[in-house]
Amino acid sequence: MIEYMNVHGNPNVGVYIFANNRIALVPPTITEKDKKKIADVLDVEVVAVKIADMIINGVMVAGNDKGLLLPRIVKPEEYDSLREYIGDKIRLEILEIRQTALGNLIAANNYGALVSPTIDKSAVEKIKQVLGVEAIYQRHLADIPTVGSMIVVTSRGGVVHPGISEEEIKLLSNIFRVEFATATVNFGLYFVKAGLVANDKGALVGDETTGPELVRIQQALRLRD
């Protein structure tokens, strides 16, 4: 299933929402109607939470079904609340590095992860452990370091910024063990993560996404109508 959505009138849904196959972390400010839509489309439990008193969960959080990485600026009460909610179902760790926009710097599914070269190499092993992935790579794509903002990947397929090379697409397929296609969202936005939230069961795209963009995303992520 794939559906159009906005958050407070903003089509950049991926900025505000993080999702895996178990939960979606959403701003506390969104409506009950939107929470229900997220739960229905992605088939997940919806958790209303802020990170560092901000509502940009998709930017601040990175992870997969096995683990979530939170930035060092997360407030203790926010961490505790999330820890209490998810229990021991998902590993939850704070990544003590200078950068805080982890969702823009780390892309992951249940098989692999791609990490920005701006992240200190000493943190890469911890990222691998928390996410429980077999493959982890640290590099830029198309000379752009914010690799997390360029990719949306599930256990079924992936979409990526159109500026990358064929060689880089092959590398991504090897890391994440799924096929990738280049795509845009919201009428030509290359940084697909900003306008797309997806898991194995569904996807939410910004409501400025065109019909051809939606079809391409749906096919790449192998989603049903």
Side-chain angles (χ1 to χ4, degrees):
M1 183 185 298
I2 186 165
E3 294 281 350
Y4 288 109
M5 188 177 176
N6 67 63
V7 176
H8 304 316
N10 191 318
N12 294 315
V13 292
V15 169
Y16 298 99
I17 302 167
F18 169 87
N20 59 22
N21 288 315
R22 298 181 175 187
I23 60 172
L25 306 182
V26 307
T29 51
I30 71 169
T31 65
E32 291 302 317
K33 181 180 178 182
D34 281 343
K35 289 179 184 176
K36 185 178 187 305
K37 184 174 191 175
I38 295 164
D40 290 347
V41 172
L42 301 181
D43 190 20
V44 291
E45 294 183 66
V46 174
V47 184
V49 65
K50 289 183 179 181
I51 304 295
D53 209 29
M54 293 183 281
I55 62 172
I56 50 173
N57 297 330
V59 172
M60 306 300 279
V61 180
N64 58 12
D65 292 341
K66 303 170 190 177
L68 300 181
L69 294 159
L70 303 179
R72 58 177 172 78
I73 58 174
V74 63
K75 292 186 173 182
E77 61 268 27
E78 295 167 342
Y79 175 90
D80 291 344
S81 175
L82 191 52
R83 174 80 280 167
E84 182 178 357
Y85 184 86
I86 66 175
D88 59 2
K89 294 184 291 186
I90 303 171
R91 187 168 175 179
L92 185 66
E93 295 282 347
I94 298 171
L95 198 58
E96 296 286 354
I97 60 173
R98 177 178 57 84
Q99 298 90 339
T100 56
L102 303 184
N104 284 347
L105 300 174
I106 302 167
N109 67 1
N110 292 332
Y111 306 120
L114 183 66
V115 179
S116 170
T118 64
I119 290 179
D120 193 283
K121 292 187 185 301
S122 63
V124 173
E125 186 57 34
K126 181 172 185 180
I127 294 169
K128 183 178 182 180
Q129 291 173 358
V130 173
L131 302 183
V133 292
E134 296 174 16
I136 190 163
Y137 231 84
Q138 187 174 27
R139 59 164 290 165
H140 54 67
L141 292 174
D143 294 323
I144 300 169
T146 53
V147 293
S149 68
M150 302 169 71
I151 294 170
V152 174
V153 60
T154 71
S155 297
R156 298 171 63 87
V159 293
V160 63
H161 186 295
I164 76 167
S165 67
E166 285 296 325
E167 182 181 347
E168 288 172 318
I169 289 178
K170 290 177 183 177
L171 174 64
L172 293 179
S173 294
N174 288 334
I175 294 170
F176 296 105
R177 290 168 48 186
V178 296
E179 294 299 314
F180 272 80
T182 57
T184 58
V185 293
N186 288 333
F187 200 66
L189 180 65
Y190 276 25
F191 291 89
V192 287
K193 169 88 180 296
L196 175 62
V197 179
N199 64 12
D200 293 354
K201 296 164 279 190
L204 298 160
V205 295
D207 59 7
E208 292 184 5
T209 300
T210 66
E213 286 175 326
L214 185 142
V215 170
R216 187 165 180 82
I217 291 166
Q218 185 174 15
Q219 291 174 342
L221 297 179
R222 299 179 184 274
L223 297 172
R224 299 181 181 88
D225 292 331

